Amino acid sequence: MCELEKMLAGEVFDGNDQSIAVLRNQGQFYLTQLNQTPNSDTEQRTKICQQLFAAFDETSLIRSPFVCEFGSNIIIGQNTLINFQVTILDVSSVIIGNNVLIAPNVQLYTASHPLNTKQRRKWEVYGKPIVIEDDVWLGGGVIVCPDVKIGQGSVIGAGAVVTQSIPEGVLAAGNPCRIIRSLTEEEMNTSAPNDMTAMTG
């Protein structure tokens, strides 16, 4: 396999390979355009996002500043909000569903490096996917590590470090992130104010 095929397959690859650099530079071109376009210009920002990402629905919003590496490995569904200062390292696929709320300073990392020092000296890297299912809320400053899925309707408390997948319909928080309790049907389907413990953004 070429280095780009290795990257897309989740194998260790050379991050300095020319084919990888071309894809990264293309993403950075659109990313720069996005961050230089006022947040109030939603029409132009949507057009740029549809060029930057693999898929981006026009009902979703991203607020700058925003950071990603390639963009082409990111899919964003409908009516999703990505707030200020979010970083996504999309060496592997990042799938963000519908009606997702991502608070400021959230970090989604699909990228990792070998433990072998000789490999790291050559900047070898590999990626594992991240999936954020529909109706998830990630609180401020949450970090999501490679190979994690967060289940539909779950809420992740501010500052959590998510190292393992989280099932649907739960409140989870902490470092490492742990399930606190299941969310009730009433909590998930009412407009009443909720328990804001450990939540922000």
Side-chain angles (χ1 to χ4, degrees):
M1 292 189 291
C2 70
E3 297 304 308
L4 180 57
E5 290 171 332
K6 290 178 184 177
M7 182 185 83
L8 297 176
E11 303 289 339
V12 174
F13 67 93
D14 177 4
N16 285 323
D17 181 78
Q18 183 60 30
S19 63
I20 305 296
V22 168
L23 193 63
R24 183 184 294 113
N25 291 341
Q26 174 181 292
Q28 293 302 300
F29 172 79
Y30 291 123
L31 181 63
T32 299
Q33 286 190 329
L34 180 66
N35 285 324
Q36 291 178 347
T37 301
N39 285 308
S40 58
D41 191 349
T42 54
E43 182 177 354
Q44 181 61 21
R45 290 178 64 83
T46 295
K47 291 178 181 178
I48 296 168
C49 285
Q50 289 174 338
Q51 294 172 300
L52 173 61
F53 302 124
F56 181 82
D57 191 86
E58 62 183 7
T59 59
S60 290
L61 291 173
I62 292 182
R63 291 178 176 154
S64 289
F66 169 78
V67 176
C68 66
E69 185 168 4
F70 297 97
S72 57
N73 292 325
I74 301 172
I75 293 173
I76 299 172
Q78 301 174 359
N79 196 41
T80 284
L81 171 63
I82 297 178
N83 220 321
F84 303 103
Q85 300 282 6
V86 168
T87 296
I88 303 178
L89 289 188
D90 57 315
V91 164
S92 186
S93 64
V94 176
I95 300 174
I96 300 172
N98 304 322
N99 307 302
V100 173
L101 297 179
I102 298 182
N105 297 304
V106 166
Q107 302 163 62
L108 308 181
Y109 295 140
T110 67
S112 191
H113 299 278
L115 296 178
N116 183 292
T117 57
K118 293 181 180 179
Q119 290 179 282
R120 289 205 306 275
R121 289 173 190 169
K122 296 185 289 184
W123 292 9
E124 290 188 1
V125 62
Y126 66 93
K128 299 295 180 184
I130 289 174
V131 177
I132 311 296
E133 294 190 335
D134 295 351
D135 297 299
V136 165
W137 174 20
L138 302 181
V142 166
I143 297 174
V144 180
C145 294
D147 203 22
V148 163
K149 176 189 287 187
I150 299 180
Q152 182 173 352
S154 286
V155 177
I156 309 299
V161 179
V162 189
T163 59
Q164 296 183 344
S165 292
I166 301 294
E168 65 180 38
V170 299
L171 173 63
N175 180 8
C177 187
R178 294 183 176 88
I179 297 170
I180 297 173
R181 61 179 174 84
S182 296
L183 296 171
T184 66
E185 287 294 322
E186 182 180 6
E187 287 176 312
M188 297 179 71
N189 295 293
T190 184
S191 60
N194 55 35
D195 177 5
M196 293 299 290
T197 304
M199 299 309 303
T200 184

